[in-house]
């Protein structure tokens, strides 16, 4: 007894898929490993130089701001000293000492009553318009633009 398949053994003629003719693709020449690494090194070098330039620019700006701040502090100190000296000079004036110096050293005398002449000058009521009022609108607009630009620069600056 044979065991097997009872189905008819027919050969089916299955058409094969038609194969499309292969197009010849252009081979893209890829750079060899050495050239690729040279390109990477060049790119990294350029980025490093750009980063170094940006950092040096920020450092220069920071140093300049520090110098300006130091000079502003020095200016404030000098202005305080100047105003103190002006105050001291204003209060150091003693009229008795000046009169004594004028009479003793310079030989001056007080004027006699006939040497004093009083003049009565009449003033008319006149209102004058100064240039500050006219130019004030332009200064206000220019000041607004300066403050806006200053705020933008301060926003993008490194602190």
């Amino acid at each position: 007894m044979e065991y097997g398949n009872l189905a008819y053994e027919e050969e089916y003629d299955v058409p094969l898929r038609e194969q499309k003719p292969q197009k010849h693709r252009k081979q893209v020449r890829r750079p060899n490993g050495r050239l690729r690494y040279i390109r990477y090194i060049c790119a990294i070098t350029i980025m490093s130089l750009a980063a170094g330039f940006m950092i040096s620019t920020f450092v220069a700006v920071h140093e300049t701001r520090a110098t300006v701040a130091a000079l502003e502090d020095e200016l404030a100190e000098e202005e305080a000293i100047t105003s103190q000296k002006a105050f001291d000079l204003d209060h150091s004036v003693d009229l008795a000492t000046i009169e004594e110096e004028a009479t003793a050293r310079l030989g001056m005398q007080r004027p006699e009553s006939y040497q004093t002449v009083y003049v009565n000058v009449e003033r008319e009521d006149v209102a004058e318009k100064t240039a500050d009022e006219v130019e004030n609108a332009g200064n206000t607009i220019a000041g607004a633009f300066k403050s806006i630009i200053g705020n933008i620069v301060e926003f993008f600056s490194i602190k």
Side-chain angles (χ1 to χ4, degrees):
M1 260 197 173
E2 275 187 45
Y3 294 102
N5 190 356
L6 299 177
Y8 295 112
E9 289 186 24
E10 291 185 27
E11 290 187 27
Y12 294 102
D13 198 16
V14 178
L16 295 175
R17 275 193 289 172
E18 292 181 24
Q19 293 186 359
K20 296 180 182 176
Q22 291 186 358
K23 294 181 181 177
H24 294 290
R25 293 186 182 180
K26 291 183 181 178
Q27 290 185 354
V28 179
R29 286 191 66 191
R30 295 187 182 197
N32 59 6
R34 181 182 256 174
L35 185 60
R36 188 177 338 150
Y37 289 124
I38 291 173
R39 285 185 182 172
Y40 288 152
I41 290 172
C42 288
I44 290 171
T45 304
I46 290 172
M47 284 189 225
S48 299
L49 289 174
F53 177 73
M54 287 180 9
I55 290 171
S56 67
T57 304
F58 287 135
V59 167
V61 168
H62 180 69
E63 288 176 353
T64 305
R65 283 186 179 172
T67 305
V68 167
L71 289 175
E72 285 176 348
D73 291 342
E74 186 179 334
L75 176 66
E77 289 176 15
E78 294 298 326
E79 285 177 346
I81 291 171
T82 302
S83 65
Q84 181 64 37
K85 290 199 183 259
F87 178 78
D88 291 343
L89 182 64
D90 287 342
H91 285 25
S92 69
V93 175
D94 183 22
L95 293 179
T97 308
I98 292 174
E99 185 175 358
E100 182 182 327
E101 187 74 23
T103 55
R105 189 169 64 96
L106 299 175
M108 299 176 94
Q109 297 177 356
R110 286 211 166 256
E112 300 291 330
S113 61
Y114 67 89
Q115 293 176 323
T116 305
V117 177
Y118 296 99
V119 178
N120 189 9
V121 179
E122 293 184 23
R123 298 181 100 191
E124 296 179 14
D125 292 335
V126 177
E128 295 181 17
K129 190 171 191 177
T130 62
D132 290 339
E133 295 174 2
V134 175
E135 294 175 354
N136 197 14
N139 290 339
T140 304
I141 294 170
F145 280 124
K146 285 181 183 177
S147 66
I148 289 171
I149 291 172
N151 289 339
I152 291 171
V153 169
E154 184 178 336
F155 179 75
F156 288 109
S157 65
I158 295 176
K159 292 183 180 180

